Amino acid sequence: MPLRLKILICLLVITPLGFYTKCYTGPLETWVNDSFGGVLYVIFWCLVIFLFFPRRNAVLTIPAAVLSVTCVLEFLQWGHPPILESIRETFLGATLLGTTFVWLDLPHYLIGAAAGWRLLHVLCKRSFCDR
């Protein structure tokens, strides 16, 4: 199976799962709603970028870059610039950018980057990525 098709299949699984974390009710509801989505968020962006740059040398670079940008976005939630506030007024904007700074999100982003790295590594290894 071609690598890009594998990536698309992964995205078709992780995207609805990520949105579902926002409305999940059940055991560990607060953690799933507030934290687990951050893990999936980082994995999602790793897959999206890898879809366009499916190279072996990007397997480590992509998760590191996504982790960096995600952490910057988290710290931007400390302040409330008008442009970001207008984006956050929508469901998609609030889902993508977040609404409030929570330092406990940072370890979840790190876990997501590690899981994203592992997933990209496995996808690349099994599909013989280009350098």
Side-chain angles (χ1 to χ4, degrees), residues 99-121:
T99 56
T100 55
F101 175 79
V102 178
W103 74 269
L104 283 174
D105 286 345
L106 300 175
H108 294 93
Y109 298 154
L110 183 61
I111 292 166
W117 167 80
R118 183 67 183 144
L119 179 58
L120 300 187
H121 178 75

Side-chain angles (χ1 to χ4, degrees), residues 1-85:
M1 182 183 314
L3 176 59
R4 283 194 168 100
L5 181 57
K6 290 178 184 178
I7 297 168
L8 286 171
I9 291 169
C10 289
L11 283 167
L12 287 173
V13 171
I14 205 159
T15 302
L17 187 59
F19 281 116
Y20 179 67
T21 64
K22 295 300 177 191
C23 58
Y24 169 80
T25 57
L28 301 173
E29 178 178 337
T30 302
W31 178 76
V32 171
N33 293 161
D34 297 340
S35 300
F36 184 60
V39 173
L40 299 177
Y41 177 86
V42 172
I43 296 169
F44 167 83
W45 284 111
C46 289
L47 287 167
V48 167
I49 296 168
F50 195 56
L51 183 64
F52 295 101
F53 303 100
R55 306 259 186 271
R56 183 178 314 276
N57 61 3
V59 168
L60 181 59
T61 307
I62 291 171
V66 170
L67 175 62
S68 298
V69 170
T70 304
C71 288
V72 166
L73 286 172
E74 185 68 30
F75 281 101
L76 282 175
Q77 293 174 41
W78 230 338
H80 296 277
I83 185 73
L84 292 180
E85 287 303 300

